Amino acid sequence: AAGVIQSPRHLIKEKRETATLKCYPIPRHDTVYWYQQGPGQDPQFLISFYEKMQSDKGSIPDRFSAQQFSDYHSELNMSSLELGDSALYFCASSHSTTIKQETQYFGPGTRLLVL
Amino acid sequence: GDSVTQMEGPVTLSEEAFLTINCTYTATGYPSLFWYVQYPGEGLQLLLKATKADDKGSNKGFEATYRKETTSFHLEKGSVQVSDSAVYFCALSDGAAGNKLTFGGGTRVLVKP
């Protein structure tokens, strides 16, 4: 079965640079979530999109922005990178129903290292 | 706000031992509960879930029962294998809070042969 695809898998950037992470959800999934997992920590919710509109916002820095496109893929744009942004960034997708959101399925993550 | 608390690790076991990882939660609505597993260097994989009180989720020999009265969702496996070594995350999704997942701190499990 098709899974969530994230690219790139690994990324190395310098401080103050920008980075763009991409997420391709499972086919027919209409909701995308972004999470950040610092070293040895649990994943923290950043932001989510449903049908190309932002649906929820968590602890996402103002330096970060994201969007969901017409083909449902999503991009997380990170500017003015800081050392503390080094983390594993997960994308998850789900197919919503009128009753309840379905299970979120995670991609393999993008490991970002800021030097 | 919503929160998940799970026992700290690491938990070190011998092969074929019984595993329990405690998880309790607080939520404003009626959450769905999940266990995700993360193997070294990999992403999060859904292990099992339960969407309402008294539901039991099960997969690959793991089980967890949604206990509303004790706000718990403890993970159990009767006989662990070396391949079960991983980090286990308990999580909840609360429809009243936008369906995002709130995770516990994770429990590292190490199974020795």
Side-chain angles (χ1 to χ4, degrees), chain B residues 4 6 23-24 34-36 73 88-92 102-106:
Chain B
V4 177
Q6 59 182 106
C23 170
T24 58
F34 305 84
W35 278 99
Y36 282 86
F73 192 54
Y88 293 82
F89 290 96
C90 184
L92 70 81
T102 299
F103 288 88

Side-chain angles (χ1 to χ4, degrees), chain A residues 8-104:
Chain A
R9 293 292 309 278
H10 302 273
L11 193 57
I12 299 175
K13 291 287 186 179
E14 300 277 342
K15 280 194 307 183
R16 292 179 288 278
E17 285 190 323
T18 62
T20 298
L21 310 185
K22 297 184 179 181
C23 169
Y24 297 86
I26 292 171
R28 292 183 296 281
H29 281 196
D30 49 20
T31 306
V32 168
Y33 303 81
W34 287 97
Y35 295 84
Q36 177 191 58
Q37 186 181 26
Q41 299 184 3
D42 58 290
Q44 295 292 316
F45 171 72
L46 293 178
I47 196 167
S48 63
F49 293 87
Y50 166 66
E51 284 291 345
K52 292 150 280 184
M53 299 289 289
Q54 180 181 310
S55 54
D56 198 3
K57 194 173 181 180
S59 50
I60 183 169
D62 291 341
R63 299 176 289 108
F64 293 7
S65 65
Q67 60 183 115
Q68 186 179 31
F69 295 85
S70 58
D71 63 352
Y72 294 100
H73 93 273
S74 178
E75 295 184 3
L76 177 66
N77 298 293
M78 311 160 70
S79 62
S80 303
L81 287 169
E82 302 173 356
L83 296 178
D85 296 329
S86 296
L88 194 54
Y89 290 83
F90 287 112
C91 172
S93 73
S94 70
H95 175 67
S96 65
T97 68
T98 55
I99 299 174
K100 204 167 189 176
Q101 289 282 357
E102 293 289 338
T103 301
Q104 293 179 35

Side-chain angles (χ1 to χ4, degrees), chain B residues 18-111:
Chain B
F18 185 86
L19 170 68
T20 298
I21 304 176
N22 290 338
C23 170
T24 58
Y25 68 91
T26 58
T28 51
Y30 298 93
S32 295
L33 301 174
F34 305 84
W35 278 99
Y36 282 86
V37 58
Q38 187 173 31
Y39 297 101
E42 298 186 12
L44 293 162
Q45 298 179 25
L46 176 66
L47 184 58
L48 53 85
K49 69 175 184 179
T51 58
K52 61 184 187 298
D54 300 324
D55 267 3
K56 177 186 280 189
S58 61
N59 185 28
K60 298 180 181 179
F62 290 90
E63 290 184 342
T65 301
Y66 190 140
R67 302 286 188 199
K68 190 169 184 289
E69 64 276 13
T70 55
T71 62
S72 65
F73 192 54
H74 305 321
L75 183 69
E76 297 182 336
K77 186 174 184 181
S79 177
V80 293
Q81 305 299 314
V82 172
S83 57
D84 293 325
S85 298
V87 180
Y88 293 82
F89 290 96
C90 184
L92 70 81
S93 173
D94 186 348
N99 296 307
K100 62 181 179 292
L101 285 168
T102 299
F103 288 88
T107 302
R108 183 176 298 279
V109 173
L110 177 61
V111 181

